[in-house]
């Protein structure tokens, strides 16, 4: 089975955000970058499928700056077979990212294309869906179980009040959620082996923007809060404030 | 045009909020609001939507959509949007809403302005505001394409009531044989009809301060008293105490309820990112220096095992 895993390089979730000089992006100084955490579930699932089948090929693909080769190498160290970096030094909107991915994906003939359910930076949960429509492939997001059955895949996901199981023909595009598996860490042996694995760098085809960033700013500061008191004796005053001041109960 | 999401035979409040917001936009810019129902058996919901701010109610009710997932619903929505020459398509930013929005945008050759907290019309410009990095920053963007597909975060619109009656128009489904589409083959409803965290008005969240998974009973009991949803910190989800569906934070759900009560949660930056857009935050923690107090509207310092039962008792006596 041939599987593509699409990864995004994002700021570590522990990052304290500062706004860059252009007022439209974050200041990259001192920011640590990581593979977006949901994408790790996608990579792990691809490796599990390959291991279970005893054959197959897992390729990680990312759209990003040259520096994203670090995240691609990490993925190769974890176990992917090959990597593709679609170079984009400027920030792209979701449609531009999707079109860049389609440029690489369209001729590969993957049986399965996996994404994380959303990136943890822009959180749009849409690039996978846009790729699916461009390639006329079925799409299911937020999956927490996956079972290949011949030319079909059965996936499970949580709904508001329960769970649903969905059957989907292959090839398909799936968005992976936490709960699907426990991602492994790269081993020293894996990291050594990753150095010899192929990484291809390609250029993104230019696509017109759909969204234009006007400004990125820090969120408005929360009004100063108050400590109502200490211990259970403060509860009455808290309840009064919630009723009379905040008017939420 | 507003896509209406329903669950268990009821229209979601978040969809009514989106309708209210759409009506404000239409009134300010001289437009029309169409609300769209898509699915199998959805026509029965039309009555409950009659006076909620739409001028027309487009109903695409087809048995062919019985097992459809977001994929099939989005195909219908994109077809209707195309026929009606729509400028703005508004959906609520729920899990399903996001999936349908993204797939519809894909069909329409555009992308989504996702998870917006504000939509402004400035002449012919559509300007949106959305939190990114789970609320660590705010992004203001201009939507350059039409139709503009926008998802609105729950609790960021006011439902309308008593508007003029919407004209009901029935729309044919374009559904094909569905052979290349995902189909739902099984649905399991849990007994307790849980409110999705992202849509909840009140959330009670617990963290490691609860010391053991069974102590979450305190949280569940308080949540039941307030009709609230239960949330959890990443620490207790990773420890296997609570399901991931309850995780609040940058790698869980980003929430904006009217009231968020954090109990035994110290407030790691990735947790604060997920809940700091809540209208009111209450923190109960034994450590007066816990970062959670820096975002709290009201805080109580002390032993949660003494405070939470008292809080529930006092709330019971007044609710």
């Amino acid at each position: 089975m041939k599987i593509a895993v699409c990864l995004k390089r994002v700021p570590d979730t522990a990052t304290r955000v500062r706004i860059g000089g252009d007022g439209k992006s974050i200041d990259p100084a001192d920011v640590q970058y990581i593979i977006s955490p949901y994408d790790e579930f996608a990579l792990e699932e691809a490796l599990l499928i390959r291991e279970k089948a005893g054959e197959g090929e897992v390729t990680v693909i990312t759209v990003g700056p040259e520096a994203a080769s670090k995240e691609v190498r990490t993925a190769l160290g974890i176990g992917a077979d090959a990597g593709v970096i679609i170079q984009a030094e400027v920030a792209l909107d979701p449609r531009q990212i999707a079109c860049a991915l389609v440029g690489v994906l369209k001729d590969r003939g993957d049986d399965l294309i996996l994404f994380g359910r959303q990136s943890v930076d822009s959180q749009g949960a849409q690039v996978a869906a846009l790729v699916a429509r461009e390639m006329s492939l079925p799409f299911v997001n937020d999956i927490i179980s996956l079972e290949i059955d011949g030319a079909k895949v059965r996936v499970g996901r949580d709904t508001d009040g329960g769970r649903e199981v969905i059957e989907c023909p292959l090839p398909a595009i799936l968005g992976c959620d936490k709960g699907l598996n426990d991602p492994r860490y790269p081993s020293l042996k894996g990291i050594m082996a990753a150095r010899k694995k192929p990484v291809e760098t390609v250029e993104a085809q230019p696509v017109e923007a759909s969204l234009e960033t006007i400004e990125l700013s820090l969120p408005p500061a929360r009004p100063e809060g108050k400590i109502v008191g200490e211990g259970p004796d403060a509860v009455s005053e808290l309840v009064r404030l919630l009723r009379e001041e905040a008017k939420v109960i | 045009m507003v896509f209406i999401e329903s669950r268990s035979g009821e229209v979601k409040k978040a969809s009514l909020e989106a309708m209210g917001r759409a009506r404000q936009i239409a009134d300010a810019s001289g437009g029309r609001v169409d609300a769209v129902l898509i699915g199998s058996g959805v026509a029965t919901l039309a009555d409950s939507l009659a006076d909620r701010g739409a001028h027309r109610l487009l109903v695409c009710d087809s048995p062919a959509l019985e097992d459809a997932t977001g994929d099939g619903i989005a195909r219908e929505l994109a077809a209707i949007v195309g026929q009606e020459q729509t400028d703005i398509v508004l959906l609520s930013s729920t899990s399903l809403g996001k999936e349908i929005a993204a797939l519809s945008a894909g069909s329409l050759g555009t992308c989504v302005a996702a998870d917006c907290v504000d939509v402004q019309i400035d002449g012919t410009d559509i300007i949106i505001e959305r939190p990114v990095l789970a609320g660590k920053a705010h992004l203001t963007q201009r939507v350059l394409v039409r139709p503009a597909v926008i998802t609105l975060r729950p609790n960021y619109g006011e439902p309308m009531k008593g508007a003029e009656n919407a004209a009901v128009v029935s729309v044919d489904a374009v559904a094909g044989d569905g052979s290349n589409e995902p189909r739902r083959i099984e649905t399991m409803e849990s007994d307790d009809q849980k409110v999705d965290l992202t849509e909840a008005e009140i959330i009670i969240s617990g963290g490691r301060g609860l010391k053991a998974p069974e102590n979450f009973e305190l949280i569940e009991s308080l949540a039941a008293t307030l009709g609230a949803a239960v949330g959890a910190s990443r620490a207790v989800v990773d420890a296997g105490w609570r399901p991931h569906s309850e995780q609040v934070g940058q790698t869980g759900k980003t929430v904006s309820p009217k009231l968020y009560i954090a109990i035994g949660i110290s407030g790691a930056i990735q947790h604060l990112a997920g809940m700091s857009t809540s209208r009111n935050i209450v923190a109960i923690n034994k450590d007066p220096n816990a970062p959670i107090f820096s975002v709290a509207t009201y805080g109580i310092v002390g032993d949660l095992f003494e405070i939470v039962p008292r809080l529930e008792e006092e709330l019971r006596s007044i609710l």
Side-chain angles (χ1 to χ4, degrees):
Chain A
M1 183 165 258
K2 196 171 171 185
I3 307 173
V5 177
C6 299
L7 302 178
K8 187 174 185 188
R9 165 190 160 92
V10 299
D12 191 315
T13 53
T15 303
R16 284 188 191 281
V17 170
R18 286 190 309 266
I19 305 299
D22 63 355
K24 294 181 180 184
S25 59
I26 66 165
D27 178 356
D30 304 328
V31 174
Q32 295 291 321
Y33 287 88
I34 55 169
I35 296 172
S36 185
Y38 291 110
D39 301 346
E40 293 181 353
F41 302 110
L43 174 58
E44 177 65 28
E45 197 63 21
L47 300 178
L48 290 173
I49 294 167
R50 186 190 65 189
E51 283 159 11
K52 196 173 169 198
E55 52 96 32
E57 183 191 287
V58 176
T59 305
V60 293
I61 304 174
T62 194
V63 181
E66 206 176 351
S69 63
K70 174 174 110 20
E71 284 68 39
V72 169
R73 286 287 168 199
T74 303
L76 297 177
I78 292 170
D81 300 300
V84 180
I85 301 169
I86 306 169
Q87 267 204 26
E89 295 297 331
V90 294
L92 300 179
D93 72 26
R95 178 152 202 88
Q96 293 172 315
I97 294 171
C99 290
L101 288 170
V102 171
V104 169
L105 290 166
K106 66 179 190 320
D107 300 321
R108 285 179 42 85
D110 292 294
D111 301 294
L112 199 54
I113 302 173
L114 300 178
F115 286 76
R117 65 179 282 256
Q118 64 179 25
S119 64
V120 298
D121 58 351
S122 61
Q123 299 183 297
Q126 59 172 312
V127 170
L130 300 178
V131 170
R133 283 303 199 237
E134 279 303 310
M135 296 179 69
S136 299
L137 294 176
F139 172 65
V140 184
N141 204 5
D142 304 320
I143 65 160
I144 54 169
S145 72
L146 183 158
E147 193 189 331
I148 308 269
D149 180 7
K152 287 181 295 198
V153 60
R154 249 191 306 281
V155 296
R157 63 176 173 183
D158 284 332
T159 58
D160 300 347
R163 180 76 72 83
E164 62 185 10
V165 180
I166 294 166
E167 198 169 78
C168 183
L170 290 172
I173 300 190
L174 303 170
C176 302
D177 200 354
K178 188 170 179 174
L180 181 62
N181 52 45
D182 287 315
R184 68 193 77 179
Y185 294 101
S187 64
L188 192 58
K189 198 174 144 215
I191 293 166
M192 299 300 286
R195 292 185 189 166
K196 296 199 183 96
K197 291 178 179 173
V199 176
E200 190 188 347
T201 301
V202 299
E203 294 285 320
Q205 294 301 315
V207 173
E208 263 188 60
S210 307
L211 298 169
E212 176 198 348
T213 294
I214 300 170
E215 190 189 12
L216 184 74
S217 56
L218 292 177
R222 289 192 69 85
E224 191 75 19
K226 59 177 138 191
I227 298 290
V228 179
E230 286 189 24
D233 295 341
V235 166
S236 300
E237 175 63 2
L238 172 66
V239 170
R240 188 191 70 77
L241 288 166
L242 289 177
R243 267 178 95 84
E244 292 171 18
E245 194 176 89
K247 299 189 171 69
V248 283
I249 54 170
Chain B
M1 182 175 292
V2 184
F3 172 76
I4 304 297
E5 194 180 328
S6 64
R7 168 166 178 263
S8 310
E10 259 183 68
V11 169
K12 284 199 170 187
K13 184 177 135 273
S15 291
L16 298 177
E17 292 169 3
M19 271 177 93
R21 190 75 192 89
R23 182 56 185 259
Q24 285 176 350
I25 293 170
D27 285 350
S29 61
R32 182 184 77 200
V33 176
D34 289 342
V36 187
L37 281 164
I38 301 171
S40 173
V42 290
T44 54
L45 298 168
D47 280 351
S48 66
L49 289 168
D51 66 343
R52 296 303 200 139
H55 298 96
R56 298 193 312 164
L57 197 52
L58 310 183
V59 182
C60 176
D61 190 337
S62 162
L65 297 170
E66 177 67 35
D67 307 325
T69 66
D71 201 306
I73 304 287
R75 209 173 297 283
E76 302 298 335
L77 180 61
I80 297 169
V81 169
Q83 279 161 23
E84 298 291 334
Q85 307 275 314
T86 311
D87 292 314
I88 300 179
V89 186
L90 201 58
L91 299 92
S92 181
S93 184
T94 58
S95 300
L96 185 63
K98 282 194 263 195
E99 183 173 285
I100 293 171
L103 288 164
S104 304
S107 295
L108 294 162
T110 172
C111 63
V112 186
D115 208 19
C116 299
V117 294
D118 198 16
V119 181
Q120 294 290 340
I121 310 298
D122 180 8
T124 57
D125 274 1
I126 300 172
I127 311 288
I128 60 98
E129 194 174 316
R130 58 181 300 244
V132 289
L133 293 150
K136 288 179 195 166
H138 272 239
L139 187 59
T140 309
Q141 289 184 314
R142 182 179 288 115
V143 185
L144 302 172
V145 287
R146 301 292 180 272
V149 181
I150 298 170
T151 57
L152 185 70
R153 186 179 279 207
N155 293 325
Y156 275 89
E158 284 299 322
M160 244 183 122
K161 249 190 185 160
E164 71 282 76
N165 265 351
V168 177
V169 180
S170 108
V171 182
D172 288 335
V174 297
D177 65 356
S179 63
N180 196 35
E181 255 178 31
R183 310 298 295 185
R184 192 182 309 106
I185 55 170
E186 204 181 330
T187 309
M188 290 152 279
E189 293 280 325
S190 63
D191 298 336
D192 47 336
Q193 294 282 301
K194 274 194 215 157
V195 185
D196 189 86
L197 272 184
T198 52
E199 298 163 51
E201 286 192 19
I202 304 179
I203 295 173
I204 319 285
S205 259
R208 226 202 279 272
L210 281 149
K211 292 186 178 150
E214 58 272 22
N215 294 333
F216 253 81
E217 207 175 293
L218 281 172
I219 305 288
E220 283 175 343
S221 177
L222 180 59
T225 304
L226 282 166
V230 172
S233 70
R234 183 167 79 182
V236 300
V237 171
D238 284 351
W241 296 6
R242 304 300 296 181
H244 175 246
S245 56
E246 291 181 0
Q247 185 179 323
V248 173
Q250 200 172 354
T251 51
K253 298 212 159 106
T254 304
V255 299
S256 314
K258 290 180 179 156
L259 174 61
Y260 187 91
I261 305 185
I263 298 173
I265 292 177
S266 62
I269 183 164
Q270 78 94 25
H271 185 81
L272 299 184
M275 45 66 82
S276 59
T277 53
S278 306
R279 302 292 168 87
N280 294 279
I281 297 170
V282 171
I284 299 171
N285 202 293
K286 67 178 186 328
D287 175 7
N289 298 317
I292 191 78
F293 287 119
S294 70
V295 298
T297 326
Y298 307 114
I300 298 185
V301 179
D303 182 357
L304 70 90
F305 294 98
E306 292 175 15
I307 295 165
V308 175
R310 176 80 71 90
L311 178 59
E312 188 179 337
E313 194 184 301
E314 295 219 6
L315 288 170
R316 266 183 202 284
S317 70
I318 56 163
L319 293 174

